[in-house]
Amino acid sequence: MDPGHQPTLDELEERLAALAEGRLTRDEADRWAARWVTADGLDWDDTSWWVLGLLHGIDLPGDENGTCLHDDDQLRAWLAELRKRRAM
C-alpha cells in the first residue's frame, strides 16, 4: 500500500484479515488505523469507516490482567461480517 493514499476497502479488509490470522499485532493495527482516523480531508464510505473504527483501538485492554477488550473470536466474526457486507 502506498503510504500517501487513503486505504481502499480491499486494503482495510487485508489489515483486518492479517490481524485475525495473527500476521499483524494489535498494536500495529491500532497504530496504522490511528493515522487514518486522525487524517484530515479524507472521505470514507460507511463500511470502510466501520472497519477503520474496529482496527483503531483494537489493542484496548479489557481488564487488569492484560486481556484485550475484543477477543480473537470477535475479530474473526468482524471479518466474516465484512465479507458478508461486501458480497451483498
Side-chain angles (χ1 to χ4, degrees):
M1 173 174 50
D2 176 0
H5 82 280
Q6 178 176 332
T8 65
L9 186 53
D10 287 339
E11 291 166 325
L12 291 167
E13 181 178 345
E14 172 52 33
R15 291 284 171 152
L16 186 58
L19 179 61
E21 295 166 3
R23 296 181 285 120
L24 187 68
T25 68
R26 288 171 181 264
D27 182 59
E28 290 168 331
D30 174 68
R31 290 174 187 265
W32 179 84
R35 171 182 179 216
W36 299 108
V37 167
T38 59
D40 291 329
L42 300 178
D43 186 30
W44 300 97
D45 63 82
D46 290 342
T47 302
S48 294
W49 187 247
W50 173 70
V51 175
L52 198 58
L54 297 175
L55 293 170
H56 183 50
I58 196 62
D59 60 347
L60 290 172
D63 61 30
E64 61 280 347
N65 296 324
T67 303
C68 288
L69 183 60
H70 305 288
D71 64 20
D72 292 343
D73 288 340
Q74 194 164 19
L75 290 175
R76 287 186 290 275
W78 287 337
L79 182 58
E81 174 64 23
L82 172 60
R83 290 176 173 162
K84 180 180 172 184
R85 288 183 187 196
R86 294 193 76 187
M88 295 161 92

